[in-house]
């Protein structure tokens, strides 16, 4: 347990869409601004995805990444965490990460049925602006999605990131994913501490209820001992409740527009910074000291700030 709590802000993601909220950052300029403002509001880490600036669809195009990652790094001292979740192969998923060299890259360590259609069902009156949104969230293919994170793909990504000397955050959507991670750590020379993100509340993965969060923490500590840094994240409107529970358990927390758009039912957050400000108030009321980017780097074993080109 750390004396300080790190706030990660997941700025835009790939499963919520522009028609769901006018405040979801889509263009490189919007993603950069929201990230910089989130760090100013108290986040130490910004977790990033890229989107096509024309219609907001998810992309892993390096040219798009280059339009906002260097800008964020130049204008704030937040820790850059790039998602490596798009692509059929490990090499495709890391095609933007390796040239941009963030301080952290995210590796998902398990497959699952991904009920992303639930995100549209939760907003019953939504009118999609783009056909790709409708196909993603309510078309027939939306009910056939399985996230493919095989043992081979995970192992390849870990090896590539070790060779590139880029730290990893391991996203776990269920308890079994912790055991998959433990299997890989038995044979991979991953630098300590091990960074583990509990990503809860996705239909197909573990829910965000307190007993599940406690089980995730206890299992992680049994498997990884003192060599792990834990983050708690709940999707949807349970996001803040999961963050508060995580902080009380002694884990770090994650909020952001990637997985939650609503302050309360029917009321949209107007920015990522607003989410960071809210969770900061909660943490302060719980007497949790919020980590700065500099102290977060020490906690996460990143050393001094790394310059990006």
């Amino acid at each position: 347990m750390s004396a300080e709590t790190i706030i990660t802000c997941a700025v835009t993601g790939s499963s919520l869409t522009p028609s769901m909220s006018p405040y979801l950052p889509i263009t490189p300029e919007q993603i950069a601004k929201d990230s910089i403002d989130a760090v100013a509001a108290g986040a130490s880490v910004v977790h990033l995805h890229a989107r096509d600036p024309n219609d907001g669809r998810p992309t892993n195009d390096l040219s798009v990444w280059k339009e906002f990652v260097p800008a964020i790094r130049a204008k704030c001292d937040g820790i850059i965490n790039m998602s490596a979740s798009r692509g059929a192969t490990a090499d495709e998923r890391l095609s933007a990460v390796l040239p941009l060299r963030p301080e952290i890259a995210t590796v998902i360590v398990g497959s699952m049925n991904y009920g992303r259609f639930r995100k549209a069902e939760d907003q019953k009156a939504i009118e999609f602006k783009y056909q790709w949104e409708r196909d993603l969230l309510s078309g027939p293919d939306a009910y056939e999605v399985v996230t493919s994170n095989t043992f081979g793909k995970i192992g390849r990504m870990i090896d590539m990131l070790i060779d590139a000397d880029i730290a990893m955050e391991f996203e776990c959507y269920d308890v079994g994913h912790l055991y998959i991670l433990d299997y890989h750590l038995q044979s991979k020379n991953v630098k300590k501490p091990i960074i583990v993100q509990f990503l809860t509340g996705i239909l197909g993965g573990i829910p965000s209820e307190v007993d599940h969060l406690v089980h995730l923490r206890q299992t992680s500590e049994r498997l990884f001992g003192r060599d792990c840094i834990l983050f708690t994240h709940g999707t949807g409107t349970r996001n803040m409740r999961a963050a508060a529970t995580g902080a009380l358990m002694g884990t770090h927390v994650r909020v952001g527009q990637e997985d939650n758009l609503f302050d309360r039912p029917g009321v949209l957050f107007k920015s990522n910074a607003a989410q960071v400000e809210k969770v900061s108030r909660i943490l302060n009321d719980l007497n949790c000291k919020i980590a700065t980017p500099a102290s977060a780097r020490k906690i996460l074993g990143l050393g001094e700030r790394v310059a990006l080109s």
Side-chain angles (χ1 to χ4, degrees):
M1 295 177 64
S2 173
E4 299 175 272
T5 303
I6 300 169
I7 299 173
T8 291
C9 182
V11 176
T12 187
S14 62
S15 60
L16 300 183
T17 72
S19 297
M20 292 179 168
S21 172
Y23 308 112
L24 181 69
I26 297 301
T27 68
E29 295 78 12
Q30 291 168 342
I31 294 170
K33 182 181 186 304
D34 258 46
S35 299
I36 294 162
D37 290 348
V39 173
S44 289
V45 182
V46 284
H47 173 76
L48 303 171
H49 290 247
R51 290 180 180 263
D52 185 323
N54 296 308
D55 61 8
R57 74 177 64 216
T59 182
N60 200 33
D61 187 333
L62 177 59
S63 65
V64 177
W65 282 102
K66 284 183 174 179
E67 291 188 48
F68 62 89
V69 171
I72 296 168
R73 202 69 186 97
K75 295 182 180 180
C76 72
D77 61 348
I79 297 165
I80 302 291
N81 175 344
M82 286 176 61
S83 172
S85 60
R86 296 197 63 79
T89 68
D91 295 71
E92 289 174 358
R93 292 188 178 190
L94 294 175
S95 61
V97 168
L98 297 181
L100 288 175
R101 295 194 55 78
E103 291 176 82
I104 303 173
T106 292
V107 178
I108 303 172
V109 290
S111 302
M112 70 170 188
N113 287 326
Y114 197 115
R116 64 189 181 194
F117 53 83
R118 174 68 64 80
K119 300 176 187 293
E121 291 177 351
D122 288 343
Q123 289 180 261
K124 296 179 177 59
I126 188 171
E127 295 183 8
F128 292 113
K129 181 179 180 181
Y130 301 107
Q131 183 62 43
W132 74 264
E133 301 175 279
R134 186 175 293 105
D135 294 340
L136 179 78
L137 294 171
S138 64
D141 289 346
Y143 296 86
E144 302 297 331
V145 176
V146 176
T147 60
S148 175
N149 300 288
T150 64
F151 281 88
K153 191 179 299 181
I154 296 164
R156 169 72 173 156
M157 291 179 71
I158 292 174
D159 287 339
M160 293 172 72
L161 290 168
I162 289 174
D163 289 343
D165 195 26
I166 296 173
M168 286 163 266
E169 174 195 73
F170 298 103
E171 278 192 351
C172 299
Y173 290 73
D174 214 333
V175 174
H177 295 179
L178 296 171
Y179 289 91
I180 293 172
L181 174 58
D182 182 55
Y183 168 81
H184 285 289
L185 295 179
Q186 299 304 315
S187 60
K188 308 290 186 185
N189 189 27
V190 177
K191 287 184 178 178
K192 305 297 191 300
I194 305 302
I195 305 170
V196 177
Q197 177 77 243
F198 304 148
L199 208 158
T200 67
I202 299 290
L203 181 62
I206 197 167
S208 303
E209 275 73 24
V210 173
D211 55 337
H212 294 304
L213 298 179
V214 171
H215 184 41
L216 287 167
R217 178 192 159 176
Q218 290 176 335
T219 303
S220 298
E221 292 180 340
R222 182 170 63 252
L223 292 173
F224 312 124
R226 295 179 179 272
D227 289 330
C228 65
I229 302 294
L230 306 177
F231 284 79
T232 298
H233 173 50
T235 56
T237 54
R238 296 187 68 87
N239 181 246
M240 289 293 162
R241 190 178 301 180
T245 303
L248 289 171
M249 292 193 307
T251 77
H252 305 285
V253 303
R254 172 173 140 178
V255 297
Q257 300 266 59
E258 172 169 348
D259 292 299
N260 176 41
L261 300 173
F262 289 92
D263 185 5
R264 57 183 63 87
V267 180
L268 291 165
F269 277 111
K270 293 185 177 181
S271 68
N272 278 284
Q275 294 200 33
V276 175
E277 289 166 359
K278 181 170 182 175
V279 78
S280 295
R281 291 195 300 271
I282 293 170
L283 293 178
N284 282 324
D285 286 345
L286 295 173
N287 293 318
C288 297
K289 184 178 180 181
I290 298 171
T292 64
S295 59
R297 285 188 173 88
K298 293 180 180 179
I299 294 167
L300 298 173
L302 300 177
E304 296 183 0
R305 180 177 174 178
V306 176
L308 291 180
S309 59

